[in-house]
Amino acid sequence: MKPLLLQGHQRSITRIKYNREGDLLFSSSKDHKPNVWYSLNGERLGSFNGHQGAVWCIDVNWQSTTFMSGAADNSLKLWDVATGVEIGNLKTPSSVRTAMFSYSANMAAYSTDNTMGKQCMINIIDVRTVDSSTLATAPPTFRIAVDSAKVTALLWGPIDETIITGHENGEITTWNLKQGKACNTVKEHHHSINDMQMNKYGTMFVTASKDFTAKLFSTEDLILLKTYKTERPVNSAAISPLKDHVVLGGGQEASEVTTTSARAGKFDSRFYHMVFEEEFARVKGHFGPINSLAFHPDGKSYASGGEDGYIRLQTFDPSYYEFKFDY
């Protein structure tokens, strides 16, 4: 497994995301410039220049035509993927923490932080109006005020009728968009949820939390299915589209990293069997905590972005496919 090392960011990676076909990999970091890469050879196609703060969240639509990025400069920007030109700029009262296109990509949801006296809000916008000047001036089509802890992770539910949010206090909430209110809340984590990712079919999602665990939930009713335990904060987790595997990545906070060496095994990608909750492999490489993980849509490789500013693309060896659990 000789990885491709993608070096195009000056500061730590915040989020990486494949498009639907998997030929493009999008990345964002604290250096204000999201990038797009060829996932096959690691060549950088270009950057999206325009943000004035750390970019916290990115997403790309189903056809890979529109790219969305939310940042700490109190803005959500929409871009043309082919040209890198900004096609929409939405000013927000506080920094944009999460953003995601709906399955149809006609709508997008984003959440803002509860800083500087501003309330945490979940906003839904119609992306189809982005070409006109109305996006910057018109209010979001739908808005939900979040009274509990701020939203730190966000997913669209099946057929765009619900939104699932992970919160700073460890709660997971399903919001019914027709009624505009929470219809289900569970609290299985004891600390902030850093990341949530769906499986290929949208029936389950995995959460990554600072409480040293990742957990697998049913999308429909938020029933806890499995728990994957580690001995460090988990920053990101992803479900393989090919096998019953889950990959976890994380590490200590950047401020505490000097107290441990990279050899201590704190910065590895760790593979767990989805059903048996057992760890069966680790992949080394990063010099700091892993902040984001993503499986390639074909399941034959995965990418990890770290605090060290590098993105590593790992293609699996034949031995990975031959590995069988004894049961």
Side-chain angles (χ1 to χ4, degrees):
M1 270 172 69
K2 188 160 174 52
L4 284 172
L5 209 58
L6 313 189
Q7 187 181 8
H9 289 288
Q10 307 300 319
R11 296 183 62 197
S12 54
I13 307 293
T14 54
R15 186 73 59 210
I16 53 175
K17 191 120 190 178
Y18 281 101
N19 66 342
R20 177 172 60 105
E21 292 83 10
D23 58 334
L24 299 177
L25 179 68
F26 295 85
S27 62
S28 66
S29 83
K30 294 179 182 173
D31 66 3
H32 312 177
K33 292 180 183 176
N35 284 344
V36 56
W37 316 75
Y38 276 127
S39 64
L40 186 67
N41 55 9
E43 180 189 342
R44 181 163 68 164
L45 276 164
S47 303
F48 301 94
N49 299 331
H51 280 295
Q52 302 298 316
V55 181
W56 293 121
C57 53
I58 53 173
D59 198 16
V60 61
N61 71 347
W62 184 248
Q63 291 104 347
S64 304
T65 53
T66 309
F67 173 73
M68 175 168 62
S69 57
D73 60 1
N74 299 2
S75 73
L76 179 81
K77 291 181 187 286
L78 290 137
W79 314 80
D80 186 311
V81 171
T83 60
V85 174
E86 183 184 310
I87 53 175
N89 186 8
L90 197 68
K91 293 291 177 208
T92 57
S94 57
S95 60
V96 180
R97 183 64 53 177
T98 63
M100 190 176 184
F101 284 107
S102 66
Y103 187 73
S104 65
N106 291 334
M107 297 180 291
Y110 68 93
S111 71
T112 54
D113 282 354
N114 53 353
T115 51
M116 300 180 293
K118 303 283 194 290
Q119 191 174 17
C120 176
M121 304 288 283
I122 301 170
N123 303 278
I124 313 288
I125 54 171
D126 191 330
V127 184
R128 291 168 292 186
T129 61
V130 70
D131 299 328
S132 60
S133 59
T134 54
L135 183 73
T137 53
T141 49
F142 196 68
R143 183 176 276 171
I144 304 171
V146 180
D147 298 321
S148 58
K150 79 171 183 186
V151 175
T152 51
L154 181 144
L155 290 171
W156 280 89
I159 57 176
D160 298 354
E161 289 183 349
T162 56
I163 282 177
I164 303 165
T165 54
H167 297 259
E168 202 171 31
N169 61 357
E171 284 182 357
I172 299 171
T173 303
T174 301
W175 305 86
N176 187 311
L177 296 184
K178 287 181 178 172
Q179 299 169 348
K181 62 182 184 182
C183 57
N184 193 5
T185 300
V186 297
K187 191 172 190 297
E188 299 287 357
H189 284 291
H190 313 304
H191 213 303
S192 174
I193 293 170
N194 295 321
D195 187 22
M196 300 197 308
Q197 293 193 37
M198 287 270 188
N199 69 343
K200 182 168 66 171
Y201 306 106
T203 53
M204 298 179 288
F205 64 93
V206 65
T207 58
S209 172
K210 272 189 181 169
D211 67 3
F212 299 10
T213 64
K215 293 176 188 274
L216 191 70
F217 289 90
S218 158
T219 304
E220 191 176 350
D221 38 24
L222 301 187
I223 291 174
L224 175 63
L225 303 172
K226 299 289 174 185
T227 301
Y228 313 101
K229 295 188 177 76
T230 67
E231 64 287 328
R232 61 179 185 188
V234 185
N235 294 337
S236 188
I239 301 172
S240 169
L242 191 64
K243 287 182 162 284
D244 290 334
H245 294 167
V246 178
V247 61
L248 274 54
Q252 285 178 295
E253 292 288 330
S255 57
E256 302 164 11
V257 164
T258 50
T259 60
T260 57
S261 72
R263 284 174 315 194
K266 297 281 189 255
F267 307 137
D268 303 349
S269 303
R270 304 169 66 151
F271 285 82
Y272 285 74
H273 195 281
M274 189 200 287
V275 180
F276 302 124
E277 307 177 357
E278 280 184 43
E279 184 184 348
F280 64 87
R282 292 189 186 190
V283 179
K284 293 184 171 64
H286 283 285
F287 296 107
I290 293 172
N291 291 337
S292 188
L293 287 165
F295 267 103
H296 191 284
D298 67 5
K300 294 178 180 174
S301 63
Y302 81 100
S304 57
E307 191 77 25
D308 52 11
Y310 289 102
I311 301 163
R312 298 175 74 90
L313 292 179
Q314 305 264 9
T315 306
F316 294 121
D317 283 346
S319 58
Y320 171 78
Y321 308 106
E322 293 158 10
F323 173 74
K324 297 277 193 296
F325 246 84
D326 295 330
Y327 61 90

